[in-house]
Amino acid sequence: MRLSRYFLPVLKETPREAQIVSHRYMLQAGMIKQATAGIYSWLPLGFKVLRKLENIVHEEQQRAGHLPMLMPTLQPGELWEESGRDNSYGPEMLRVVDRHGRKMLYGPTNEEMITDIFRSHVGSYKELPLTLYHIQWKFRDEVRPRFGVMRGREFFMKDGYNFDLTKDDALHAYNRHLVSYLRTYERMGLKAIPMRADSGPIGGEDTHEFLVLAETGESEVFYDSAVTDLHLGDREVDYDSVEQCQAIFDEWTTPYARTDETHDVGVFANVPEGRRRTARGIEVGQIFYFGTKYSETMGALVDDGKGGKVPVHMGSHGIGVSRLLGAIIEASHDDKGIIWPEGVTPFHCGILNMRQGDEAADAACDALYAALTALGLEPLYDDRDERAGAKFGTMDMIGLPWRITVGPRGLKNGVVELTSRRTGESEELPPEEAVAKIAKIYEGIA
Ligand code: 5CA
């Protein structure tokens, strides 16, 4: 992409409404524009990152054997009357009435709708286990939408639902989700810690929230620092293996890690003093096992193979896809702007022409652009007729992890400059070598 043809409305001034850095940078970098409280338009740069996160979530869910589908944003009110949550969900639910006077709502989550789909089509244990998921816009009429996409009213969420014959099978689905979530967040360059939490309006006893540590996080968390040393890395996981998923679940949930809702001072006291941590965190996902809560009330029964009919065991599992943009920025930035991890960056590198219109500089930039593109990489070429300072400022703000700077002086010596956004370190090298280095960095990522 050439910047002269892109739509990147970078703001010069600091937006006053933004209280935290991710919100400020998303506005300043021209990623989002507020439509009204808690509702945003996603401009091209923000949309590009959102799509990248969505793709990672899809890939990791399907790797775990979960099936993608798509349910609508609007739901019929009757389903929620059946489950009883029509009353309990309260004013967070946006209710609408259609022209025929029928009660509808903008879905805050989809337990009812998926249970209705299941009961309409599945009647036998032979069709289990089954996990269906979708990534769709949700609406929760939050009392205090704030921090930009972090606590929106309309937000983009992955929600998945498992259906199993027994509690043990459903707990395997729970562990499988935990493992797939660990992989998902690691690919995004994030450390998200599963913590024992409270289930709220979704219900059930077993639930873990995934928290990214950040001072601006809305939750208070307590944990054993040993949990932050754990990495899934590129270990092979067989998602069908009950033992493997259980082992990873045990590895991550043995060290103490809880949100304030479930924090137990007595148990926490057993953690060696030097490893006890109190911090704040951003909730980027949550998994639930709630047994037969919805299948019983809504009649989602299957033949158990022994002549009886039993309600299926279920759980639901969510990732806050749009919130993740904010969380990644909170975890990865400096005073000049965003620093995207390689796995989610909107463009793989920037090309910065120090002297637009100079024949040699223009030709070298074009050649770099062509070489990177031929390798399947997406560069963003700042080809605007702007001062170098303005170009550097834009690149730093939008946070591409690598930048190649091309100027007439370097070209005379046959070199360009390759700079890491994270460390600020630069090296001079021939253009082909810069391309080869970038290609190597993105091997297995892009
Ligand atoms: N049905 C379950 C699992 S799919 C559910 O709705 N879980 S949830 O309420 O925990 O939401 C899942 C994730 O969505 C949360 O972990 C959080 O990351 C994200 N989320 C929730 N509310 C908001 C909001 N107002 N703005 C942005 N993201 C949100």
Side-chain angles (χ1 to χ4, degrees):
M1 179 56 66
R2 286 166 181 271
L3 196 44
S4 62
R5 297 182 196 171
Y6 203 48
F7 181 62
L8 187 72
V10 171
L11 305 182
K12 294 219 170 58
E13 266 130 60
T14 309
R16 255 177 299 143
E17 70 267 34
Q19 297 163 28
I20 61 170
V21 74
S22 57
H23 187 196
R24 174 151 67 85
Y25 284 165
M26 285 184 80
L27 292 169
Q28 272 186 285
M31 297 176 69
I32 51 169
K33 159 108 171 62
Q34 182 175 307
T36 181
I39 303 180
Y40 291 86
S41 295
W42 294 77
L43 308 183
L45 191 73
F47 182 59
K48 212 158 188 307
V49 181
L50 189 67
R51 278 283 173 263
K52 284 222 165 172
L53 299 183
E54 185 185 4
N55 283 340
I56 292 175
V57 173
H58 270 304
E59 283 176 17
E60 293 307 327
Q61 285 311 298
Q62 289 169 51
R63 194 193 301 278
H66 307 156
L67 303 174
M69 62 178 295
L70 188 60
M71 288 176 270
T73 52
L74 291 175
Q75 304 187 15
E78 298 96 72
L79 285 178
W80 289 67
E81 282 164 13
E82 251 191 86
S83 73
R85 279 208 296 183
D86 185 35
N87 290 326
S88 63
Y89 219 91
E92 256 192 28
M93 191 142 85
L94 182 68
R95 295 151 210 266
V96 278
V97 178
D98 75 8
R99 66 197 296 167
H100 305 293
R102 289 191 198 109
K103 286 208 255 174
M104 319 261 291
L105 57 103
Y106 192 136
T109 176
N110 284 58
E111 281 78 7
E112 285 76 1
M113 185 167 276
I114 199 81
T115 305
D116 179 51
I117 292 170
F118 181 90
R119 71 180 172 187
S120 307
H121 298 291
V122 182
S124 163
Y125 72 96
K126 289 183 191 152
E127 291 168 75
L128 305 181
L130 179 66
T131 297
L132 300 165
Y133 78 92
H134 73 161
I135 306 180
Q136 176 62 291
W137 293 95
K138 303 291 185 297
F139 197 95
R140 294 183 189 171
D141 206 352
E142 303 275 351
V143 200
R144 275 206 304 155
R146 57 181 188 155
F147 299 164
V149 300
M150 206 76 100
R151 180 164 295 282
R153 293 200 293 166
E154 190 183 46
F155 61 97
F156 203 40
M157 179 171 111
K158 171 262 162 179
D159 41 326
Y161 305 85
N162 68 284
F163 300 91
D164 289 278
L165 182 61
T166 65
K167 178 173 181 180
D168 280 350
D169 292 347
L171 290 177
H172 171 57
Y174 186 88
N175 294 347
R176 200 173 60 225
H177 277 90
L178 180 130
V179 178
S180 72
Y181 280 24
L182 290 173
R183 267 193 79 111
T184 303
Y185 299 124
E186 280 190 15
R187 277 187 66 183
M188 296 174 180
L190 280 177
K191 185 170 280 295
I193 306 169
M195 301 200 180
R196 283 256 306 259
D198 181 63
S199 67
I202 307 291
E205 292 292 310
D206 294 283
T207 183
H208 281 84
E209 285 181 1
F210 289 76
L211 287 115
V212 171
L213 299 175
E215 278 165 30
T216 48
E218 291 188 297
S219 321
E220 189 172 25
V221 298
F222 304 84
Y223 62 97
D224 175 343
S225 66
V227 74
T228 57
D229 298 332
L230 300 173
H231 299 280
L232 199 59
D234 47 17
R235 62 177 105 161
E236 282 288 320
V237 181
D238 174 2
Y239 282 103
D240 288 332
S241 163
V242 171
E243 296 73 30
Q244 280 187 33
C245 292
Q246 184 68 49
I248 293 170
F249 174 87
D250 292 343
E251 190 181 345
W252 258 266
T253 58
T254 304
Y256 188 96
R258 298 191 189 186
T259 65
D260 52 1
E261 298 155 338
T262 57
H263 180 51
D264 183 324
V265 182
V267 185
F268 194 44
N270 298 329
V271 176
E273 201 181 343
R275 300 206 318 241
R276 264 179 247 155
R277 300 279 187 281
T278 303
R280 302 199 70 81
I282 302 166
E283 180 205 326
V284 292
Q286 186 163 6
I287 53 178
F288 302 82
Y289 164 70
F290 43 68
T292 56
K293 172 175 169 179
Y294 298 90
S295 54
E296 257 177 79
T297 48
M298 295 183 66
L301 310 178
V302 291
D303 292 335
D304 62 2
K306 297 177 204 146
K309 277 194 177 299
V310 291
V312 282
H313 285 260
M314 292 173 60
S316 71
H317 315 276
I319 294 183
V321 181
S322 48
R323 175 179 288 182
L324 273 166
L325 270 100
I328 293 170
I329 297 171
E330 289 298 323
S332 185
H333 68 269
D334 62 14
D335 56 2
K336 293 190 225 129
I338 302 165
I339 306 175
W340 292 114
E342 272 87 0
V344 304
T345 183
F347 295 96
H348 297 110
C349 78
I351 301 172
L352 203 144
N353 191 339
M354 300 278 280
R355 181 106 36 94
Q356 207 69 44
D358 176 272
E359 214 175 300
D362 290 2
C365 287
D366 286 343
L368 280 168
Y369 189 92
L372 288 162
T373 309
L375 290 169
L377 295 168
E378 262 189 298
L380 179 66
Y381 172 21
D382 191 345
D383 61 342
R384 297 170 306 161
D385 191 13
E386 283 277 357
R387 286 175 305 105
K391 291 192 177 187
F392 285 125
T394 300
M395 278 293 168
D396 284 343
M397 173 54 69
I398 68 172
L400 309 185
W402 298 93
R403 182 185 81 211
I404 305 176
T405 310
V406 179
R409 216 172 337 126
L411 286 178
K412 278 201 187 108
N413 301 320
V415 294
V416 295
E417 193 182 52
L418 177 63
T419 308
S420 156
R421 173 71 182 83
R422 189 169 294 281
T423 65
E425 279 164 26
S426 288
E427 61 176 320
E428 293 199 327
L429 69 189
E432 317 77 65
E433 280 179 34
V435 170
K437 257 204 147 147
I438 290 184
K440 181 119 191 61
I441 288 161
Y442 285 104
E443 230 171 46
I445 298 179

